[in-house]
């Protein structure tokens, strides 16, 4: 698909991706916050499982559970946020900018 500026017909078009950037950042923060909750749960679960292995098992289970929960939350949130932001870019915002005249416009994907 080749995009042209509706104003000056230039083919030099860039994307702004504002929604995608914001969405990714917000998603990562929200995901990390959710991940923190998951980390606490993971730590508790890890500690419960680790009880079998004694005090060392509890410590190991706690750390492993917290790490997994936090990591997964951040990554999942960032990906979801970027997808949502991309949707906003494509459907709501003017995501294209003409590099020749600076005109911003939107073009729905067909
Ligand atoms: Zn233009």
């Amino acid at each position: 698909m080749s995009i042209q500026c509706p104003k000056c017909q230039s083919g030099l078009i860039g994307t702004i991706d504002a929604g995608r950037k914001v969405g990714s950042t917000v998603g990562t923060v929200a995901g990390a916050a959710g991940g923190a909750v998951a980390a606490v749960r993971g730590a508790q679960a890890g500690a419960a499982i680790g009880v079998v292995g004694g005090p060392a098992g509890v410590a190991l289970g706690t750390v492993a559970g917290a790490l997994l929960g936090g990591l997964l939350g951040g990554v999942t949130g960032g990906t979801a946020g970027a997808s949502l932001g991309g949707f906003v870019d494509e459907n709501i915002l003017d995501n294209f900018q003409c590099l020749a005249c600076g005109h911003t416009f939107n073009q729905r994907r067909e």
Side-chain angles (χ1 to χ4, degrees):
M1 180 178 79
S2 74
I3 303 161
Q4 275 193 333
C5 172
K7 207 171 172 186
C8 72
Q9 270 72 51
S10 166
L12 295 169
I13 305 299
T15 53
I16 300 167
D17 288 335
R20 195 178 296 271
K21 284 169 196 157
V22 171
S24 177
T25 307
V26 171
T28 303
V29 172
V37 175
V40 172
R41 284 206 202 106
Q44 287 168 345
I49 295 165
V51 165
V52 183
V58 172
L60 205 71
T62 304
V63 172
L67 273 179
L68 274 176
L71 259 177
L72 283 178
V75 171
T76 310
T79 308
S83 304
L84 187 69
F87 177 83
V88 171
D89 278 334
E90 281 163 24
N91 295 284
I92 298 164
L93 301 175
D94 289 339
N95 195 38
F96 295 104
Q97 181 166 37
C98 173
L99 301 178
C101 73
H103 181 64
T104 55
F105 58 98
N106 199 358
Q107 186 159 347
R108 304 279 186 275
R109 281 196 183 159
E110 286 159 30

